[in-house]
Every structure is written in C-alpha cells, then in structure tokens.
C-alpha cells in the first residue's frame, strides 16, 4: 500500500511466498524516500511474540527464517536501512529511528517478554550480518531501552494495564508470598 505497487518485499505464490531479493526501489510515488519509510509509525496490536514486527521464525513450524527473507514490519524497515545507509554511523542512526517508530502491545507478560527478546535478537542478527561483529554494549542498551518503552503490556479490550481495574476482594498473589501472607 505504501509503495503503490505489489510484490515490493515478497511475492505470493499460492499459499506460499518468497522474498524479493532485489533492492527495494523508492520510485517517485508521493515524493517519499527510504527515510520516510523508516520513520513511518507502525504498531502491532495484541502482538504476542511479535511475529508481524519481526519474523525470525515460522510460527507454524518453528524453523528459522533467513535474515534476507524476513518480512515483519520492522524487518522491512531494517532491510531498507541495510540497503541504503551510507556507513556504520548512519546505519545505527536509522536503525534506532526504525525501532523508535515501531510499537506493539500485549496483555500476557510471557508473550511480551518474548516479543521484546525477538526485537533485540533481530538487531543482533542484523549487526552480525551487516558488519560481521557482535553489537557493542552501548548499542544493546540503547535498543533495549527503546524496545522496553515501545512494546508494553496492555489489555486491548479495556485499553488499560493489567490489574488496573481492581475488583472487590481481589489481591494479586506474589511468588514471594507465603500461605500465611495470603490468609
């Protein structure tokens, strides 16, 4: 939709698809370039493990998906950055912008943890592939902070955080409570 044409990132083949391996072209549609695409805000509601943001593995089979065949919303932005950034400094700047403009929320805490992990590992995969090195600690901290703010826990039905609407007699049990504390 954004590009005004089909088969930009992947090509449908019946019930399957294959990744378009050619460089993503930004034709003069609405005079938008790759910077605009990376900056465009995107959100995955009730994101679970975030498979529509980053497609690290096939959700049905569990098999890993090669980096150049991933088609999540953030994967696509990272691909565009990988293809267009001038140098490593420019690359990191635009990777940060891609993460800053990508959001998601999930009610289940365990799924949220996996979603955040998937986004961070996707960054690590991209650094390894693009530069043949491990990410630096300051890079990981920067991306981890963005991820923790941009993927949050929320009930999509009530638009509230879990347990914000207390019911009479409700008490959240802690794993550190003893039976005497629970009473």
């Amino acid at each position: 939709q954004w590009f005004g044409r089909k088969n930009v990132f992947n090509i449908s083949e019946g019930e399957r698809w294959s990744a378009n391996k050619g460089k993503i072209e930004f034709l003069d549609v609405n005079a938008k370039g790759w910077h605009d695409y990376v900056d465009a805000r995107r959100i995955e509601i009730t994101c679970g493990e975030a498979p529509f943001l980053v497609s690290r593995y096939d959700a049905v089979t569990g098999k890993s998906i090669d980096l150049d065949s991933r088609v999540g919303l953030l994967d696509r932005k990272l691909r565009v950055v990988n293809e267009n950034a001038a140098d490593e400094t420019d690359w990191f700047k635009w990777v940060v912008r891609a993460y800053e403009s990508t959001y998601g929320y999930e009610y289940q805490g365990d799924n949220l943890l996996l979603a955040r992990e998937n986004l961070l590992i996707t960054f690590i995969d991209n650094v390894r592939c693009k530069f043949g090195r491990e990410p630096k600690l300051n890079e990981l901290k920067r991306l981890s902070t963005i991820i923790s703010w941009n993927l949050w826990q929320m009930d999509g039905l009530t638009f509230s955080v879990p347990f914000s609407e207390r019911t009479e007699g409700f008490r959240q049990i802690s794993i550190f409570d003893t039976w005497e504390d629970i009473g």
Side-chain angles (χ1 to χ4, degrees), residues 30 43 56 72 88 95 108 129-130 164 166 173 175:
N30 299 325
I43 186 169
R56 293 185 50 243
E88 193 167 339
V95 165
Q108 300 294 331
C129 181
K130 181 77 174 168
S164 63
R166 301 282 183 200
I173 298 173
I175 62 172

Side-chain angles (χ1 to χ4, degrees), residues 43 103-106 112 116 148-154:
I43 186 169
Y103 307 91
Y105 64 82
E106 171 57 37
L112 178 62
R116 288 174 172 174
S148 68
W149 279 101
N150 287 11
L151 269 67
W152 66 92
Q153 191 170 21
M154 182 178 92

Side-chain angles (χ1 to χ4, degrees), residues 49 51 55-66 70 118:
E49 298 175 14
S55 56
R56 293 185 50 243
Y57 49 85
D58 184 305
V60 175
T61 66
K63 292 182 181 177
S64 294
I65 299 174
D66 293 336
R70 297 179 186 177
N118 283 331

Side-chain angles (χ1 to χ4, degrees), residues 11 17-18 23 29-30 45 53 57 70 73-74 104-105 107 119 136 143 149 154 162 172 177 180 182:
I11 301 163
W17 58 267
S18 63
K23 183 177 179 184
V29 176
N30 299 325
I45 60 172
L53 295 179
Y57 49 85
R70 297 179 186 177
L73 298 171
L74 181 59
Y105 64 82
Y107 182 75
L119 266 69
K136 299 171 188 165
L143 271 291
W149 279 101
M154 182 178 92
Q172 175 67 33
D177 285 342
E180 291 79 28
I182 298 170

Side-chain angles (χ1 to χ4, degrees), residues 8 19-25 79 83:
V8 175
N20 175 358
K21 303 291 183 172
K23 183 177 179 184
I24 304 303
E25 296 296 327
R79 177 178 172 180
E83 292 176 351

Side-chain angles (χ1 to χ4, degrees), residues 25-172:
E25 296 296 327
F26 288 83
L27 307 175
D28 198 10
V29 176
N30 299 325
K32 291 182 179 179
W34 73 270
H35 297 104
D36 300 302
Y37 182 78
V38 172
D39 273 339
R41 292 185 186 138
R42 298 289 179 257
I43 186 169
E44 182 182 355
I45 60 172
T46 61
C47 68
E49 298 175 14
F52 293 106
L53 295 179
V54 290
S55 56
R56 293 185 50 243
Y57 49 85
D58 184 305
V60 175
T61 66
K63 292 182 181 177
S64 294
I65 299 174
D66 293 336
L67 192 62
D68 64 350
S69 295
R70 297 179 186 177
V71 293
L73 298 171
L74 181 59
D75 290 320
R76 292 175 180 197
K77 289 179 178 217
L78 296 175
R79 177 178 172 180
V80 166
V81 172
N82 286 336
E83 292 176 351
N84 291 285
D87 55 36
E88 193 167 339
T89 302
D90 192 46
W91 180 87
F92 187 70
K93 169 190 166 184
W94 284 100
V95 165
V96 166
R97 299 273 290 263
Y99 275 82
E100 287 174 338
S101 63
T102 304
Y103 307 91
Y105 64 82
E106 171 57 37
Y107 182 75
Q108 300 294 331
D110 54 346
N111 284 341
L112 178 62
L113 176 64
L114 291 171
R116 288 174 172 174
E117 179 184 353
N118 283 331
L119 266 69
L120 187 60
I121 292 173
T122 294
F123 170 70
I124 294 168
D125 290 344
N126 275 274
V127 171
R128 287 174 177 162
C129 181
K130 181 77 174 168
F131 302 108
R133 66 169 176 83
E134 295 298 313
K136 299 171 188 165
L137 183 58
N138 65 322
E139 294 170 337
L140 290 170
K141 286 181 177 181
R142 178 88 185 270
L143 271 291
S144 295
T145 301
I146 295 166
I147 292 167
S148 68
W149 279 101
N150 287 11
L151 269 67
W152 66 92
Q153 191 170 21
M154 182 178 92
D155 184 336
L157 298 175
T158 64
F159 303 109
S160 61
V161 295
F163 308 115
S164 63
E165 297 175 8
R166 301 282 183 200
T167 58
E168 190 66 32
F170 175 82
R171 181 177 184 286
Q172 175 67 33

